[in-house]
Amino acid sequence: MNMPHNNITKTLIEKFPADVIESHEAYGDTTVIVKKGRITDILRFLKEEIQPSFEMLIDLCGVDYLQWKDSARFEVVYHLLSLKTHDRVRVRAPLSEEDPTIDSVSPLWKAADWYEREVFDMFGIIFHRHPNLKRILMFEGFEGHPLRKDYPAEKRQQIPTAEIDLLHLSLQNRHFSETDHLPTRSMILNIGPSHPAMHGALRYQVELDGETIHRAVAEIGYLHRAFEKHSESSTYTQVIPYTDRLNYLSSMMNNVGFAHAVEKILGVEIPPRAKMIRVIVCELSRIMDHLVCLAAAFVDLGALTNFWYFFDAREKIYDCTEKLAGARLTTNYTRIGGVWRDISPDIITGIHKAFKVLDKAILDVSRLLERNRIFIDRTRNVGIISKEDAVSYGYTGPCLRACGVPYDIRKDQPYYDYDRFDFDVPVGSRGDVNDRLMVRFEEMRQSAKIIQQALTRLPPGPIMIEDPKIALPAKSNVYGSIEGLMNHFMIVTQGICPPKGEVYSATEAANGELGFYIVSDGGPRPYRVRCRPPCFPLTASSERLVEGGMIADLIAIVGSLNIVVGELDR
Amino acid sequence: MDILIFILKIVIPPVLVLNFIPLMIWFERKGSAYIQERRGPNRAHILGIRLGGIIHNFADVIKLITKEDIIPANVNRLYFIGAPLIAIFVGIVTIAVVPLADSVQIGEKLVHIQVADLNVGILYVFAISSLGVYSVLLAGWSSNNKYSLLGGLRAASQMVSYELALGLTVVGLFMLAESASVSEIVRHQGPHVLHWNFVQQPLAFIIFWIAVFAETNRTPFDLPEGESEIVAGYHTEYSSMKFALFFMAEYAHMVVAAALITALFFGGWQVPFLTTLDLKTQAPFYLYVTVLTVSFIALFFGLLLLSQFKKGKYRDARDYEVLVFGIPLFLLALAGGGSAIFTGPWALPEWGRVLFAALVQATSFGIKMTFFAFFFIWIRWTLPRFRYDQVMNFGWKGMLPLALLNIVVTGVVLLWKGNHHG
């Protein structure tokens, strides 16, 4: 794996000798630090000219290095992914405090539009030639940039009560045709944030001609809870409960995703049993997430009965997670270095029972809908996104696979021995609503298959690593030995201290690639945690997807994308 | 006598429709619960009587009446208040031309068991139900809400489009019965099941059936109130009893639609294979059989209910609910069955025979109608919703040509038949 990375950096240095400041490899991640001046050229080179090409902008985020002595104030960090070789490269561009500006890469990737808006919103970094540089998560009229280190976490701001221009969404009634006998105007309709089909608090503002949508603008941020800012003032273990609230439909997966990132920077390997349990809970969460997504999508299409069939199955799986983690929704199940509780035979029988219900539910629903003409008419050829656009928007997960790109981190960059399981990655062909929903159907079956394999080969052994700097010692040890007591004391009062550095870890969450980019300064609290929510790029693309469709199509499209606002707004 | 009949005619049909509404709501709730593997309503009770959830309807009524009746600012009050009234009015008066049983000879007078036996009965139905468009349109427009407006527009275009297909399908029936009167169409179908119009006019039946779904705004044509798209459509802004009137109107429409399907395509009050004359002449025998059957069913359910009795299940009056219904059913079964067995077939006077025939026919009508009413609910919990343009395409490009084709085919067949006979 080292060779191609070195090749990339070598080629980059050859091509842009004056612009590459530094390159290194740590924790398996290749990092290139470049000057901001030619960032567009460098990224275009990486995207188009180099072999293998990095066609996907997986993540774009900012970091504020205010407290680091030997560093520029800001950095914009680009994470790129090659879909052919599944290599990743991180490009960092430092910016000075006096001139926090950089060129926008939105001409290269459509995904950059919203990512750059978020960086602007959070750090105040200006992107030149960005088409629409406005706040995205914070409200219009917010003062300051919250993720800057000099913005106090406790600071409160009042939402301006004066009528702020909510139409900074920039939609206005337009006159259609001047020659028409009747002077007709378009109608602006707000769908959300409080609307039966906008699950969570998502808002679309659409410009309608009759029922046809001419333009649509998505407004997000209603559920922004400052996850990233919170994480900076919590220890690594304390962040785990916050991750529950990201994608609350599959909270265990977020727990695993975050723990995986921290373990990567700590450089530890968790015990085999813990790995297997994580696989099991991840796949259970995937099933639950898909169940909710599909059930909600069907409700939005008017097929309410399917909702109950799926929720019945979901309920049974929740019973299992309740036995396992003590909670149903916010599980807080993983710990750095393992999992919290062991899986018992009781739970295993519970899972098997739940699968019986699940099989029946999937069978019932697919019989009701799969060949139902109304359902097919409503979903087929609706909200089509091409392969190229999907990649450009940074789609991952089922929505990307529905377009025919068989990218699944579990297969392509296996973690937790996913390569030892026998499962298929379902792929669609048209990239429409129907494909997105059907891919999820099949993924549930595959996840059940994985879990059944995992349950049969669950190895015995510990579920936490035995590292006194990471895992709490056994209680008997704490009470019985001075060393145990001291370790316990240190972990509880100090926390886990990873080495100084940065790491990006990606896991395949139900909705796509869940990435955590962690910058550690060596202390017990992360210096910066960036969560790459899989549905952020999906939502960004939805504005274009719904154009030309009808209101009912918008509902179907949003349902098929599975936008979970908890994760979208963080 | 005339006045009594007059009053009965005025009172019974609306009461029938209005009483069917809670029954339909109960069907909707329990039916959907059954389909969706839930229990459905089973909590509200009066002195422990729950009636399998029907009592929830009383609770609903109390809730809806006592709720604050909000009229938003900036609405046109006249239209806003008028719209639900039109809706419920239209829902109820359509039943007027549907006969519930064969005409009855009382003394010198022939009494029709329907409010009015208009010779253009079907046209009356369409005329009145078209007025229903005004209620949704006015509600949608006067609410001063974009979602309501969209709902009103959807409803208006949908109802107008499907009315065409609806109207054209019945032309075939006119041609067969050579009359536009509903009672004449029912009489023409006769008691023989194969002569009923759903066999004679299968295409018309299917189109009519689909079109009434659209006319009543039920899934898969519930776009005017598609809750996931336009919140609640034209009644988004309504609350309290005004909302309830819309709600009742929807079910009233369904009842009427079911009654129309029964009358036009399933022989209305016709009892399969038995003419009115048969029923009258053989009344003692059929009464005997009926009493025995009903007693047997009552015995079965009575015993079933009694076997459910378990003290301390709820530890309150609800424990005794099964007894309240089980014991009378059981006693009724014993009394009915016993008297039938021991006193044998009873000789009936002429008026008794007439009454019996009418009752049996009305029951036949009721059973058929209930089934079709339930069918609305069944479909609702099975199918997803259309999209607006798909509804329009389906109506104009699918149903309308087919309805026209049906008229042509019926005409050709009738001509051919006429030529052969003549």
Side-chain angles (χ1 to χ4, degrees), chain A residues 188 190 211 300-301 305, chain B residues 146-147 154 228 381 385 387:
Chain A
I188 304 288
N190 276 302
E211 289 237 353
D300 296 346
L301 291 173
T305 297
Chain B
K146 286 174 183 170
Y147 288 118
R154 282 178 173 195
S228 59
W381 302 110
R385 182 184 304 125
R387 199 174 61 203

Side-chain angles (χ1 to χ4, degrees), chain A residues 188-191 195-197 211 300-302 304-305 308-309 312 372 377-378 382 550-553 555, chain B residues 35-38 146-147 149-150 154 219-220 227-229 231 381-390:
Chain A
I188 304 288
L189 182 69
N190 276 302
I191 301 179
H195 181 278
E211 289 237 353
D300 296 346
L301 291 173
L304 185 65
T305 297
W308 299 100
Y309 291 165
D312 193 22
N372 182 319
D377 281 354
R378 281 295 305 276
V382 170
M550 305 190 111
I551 298 176
D553 289 336
I555 307 297
Chain B
I35 290 169
Q36 296 166 350
E37 298 174 352
R38 297 182 283 118
K146 286 174 183 170
Y147 288 118
L149 181 66
L150 284 173
R154 282 178 173 195
T219 314
E227 78 282 348
S228 59
E229 292 157 23
V231 189
W381 302 110
T382 308
L383 291 182
R385 182 184 304 125
F386 276 113
R387 199 174 61 203
Y388 178 66
D389 58 326
Q390 289 165 354

Side-chain angles (χ1 to χ4, degrees), chain B residues 145-395:
Chain B
N145 173 321
K146 286 174 183 170
Y147 288 118
S148 299
L149 181 66
L150 284 173
L153 288 175
R154 282 178 173 195
S157 49
Q158 176 178 317
M159 287 166 99
V160 168
S161 308
Y162 279 73
E163 219 146 64
L164 285 172
L166 200 68
L168 288 174
T169 50
V170 293
V171 172
L173 309 187
F174 296 169
M175 291 157 97
L176 284 181
E178 294 173 359
S179 167
S181 145
V182 182
S183 57
E184 203 47 54
I185 290 175
V186 171
R187 203 164 292 126
H188 178 263
Q189 293 179 60
H192 206 286
V193 176
L194 289 181
H195 291 165
W196 288 358
N197 279 334
F198 77 99
V199 182
Q200 302 278 321
Q201 292 272 304
L203 187 61
F205 166 56
I206 289 167
I207 295 172
F208 187 88
W209 207 3
I210 295 172
V212 292
F213 270 90
E215 285 286 295
T216 49
N217 295 336
R218 289 288 290 189
T219 314
F221 298 96
D222 63 339
L223 301 103
E225 45 194 303
E227 78 282 348
S228 59
E229 292 157 23
I230 48 172
V231 189
Y234 56 86
H235 57 66
T236 305
E237 294 286 357
Y238 282 87
S239 56
S240 185
M241 266 322 271
K242 285 210 281 294
F243 162 76
L245 285 180
F246 273 122
F247 195 64
M248 284 159 66
E250 182 181 332
Y251 287 95
H253 274 124
M254 266 192 277
V255 172
V256 170
L260 277 177
I261 291 176
T262 310
L264 296 181
F265 293 95
F266 281 81
W269 44 259
Q270 303 275 7
V271 182
F273 307 111
L274 293 175
T275 60
T276 314
L277 196 68
D278 286 342
L279 280 172
K280 267 192 230 164
T281 48
Q282 302 289 324
F285 172 68
Y286 291 127
L287 181 64
Y288 183 65
V289 173
T290 315
V291 168
L292 275 184
T293 323
V294 170
S295 302
F296 186 74
I297 295 170
L299 186 71
F300 176 74
F301 280 104
L303 287 176
L304 191 75
L305 282 175
L306 289 178
S307 71
Q308 301 277 314
F309 177 65
K310 199 176 136 204
K311 215 171 167 193
K313 198 171 168 191
Y314 301 99
R315 299 210 181 91
D316 59 23
R318 279 176 295 172
D319 281 347
Y320 300 97
E321 189 191 1
V322 286
L323 295 187
V324 171
F325 292 103
I327 291 173
L329 263 181
F330 183 69
L331 293 178
L332 202 72
L334 285 189
S339 59
I341 288 166
F342 292 115
T343 60
W346 308 279
L348 285 174
E350 178 60 22
W351 64 266
R353 288 162 187 255
V354 170
L355 187 67
F356 175 73
L359 280 178
V360 169
Q361 284 168 344
T363 313
S364 164
F365 182 84
I367 289 172
K368 291 180 208 169
M369 185 175 98
T370 312
F371 172 75
F372 286 107
F374 180 74
F375 207 88
F376 278 98
I377 287 151
W378 191 356
I379 290 289
R380 173 169 179 185
W381 302 110
T382 308
L383 291 182
R385 182 184 304 125
F386 276 113
R387 199 174 61 203
Y388 178 66
D389 58 326
Q390 289 165 354
V391 167
M392 289 296 124
N393 275 340
F394 188 53

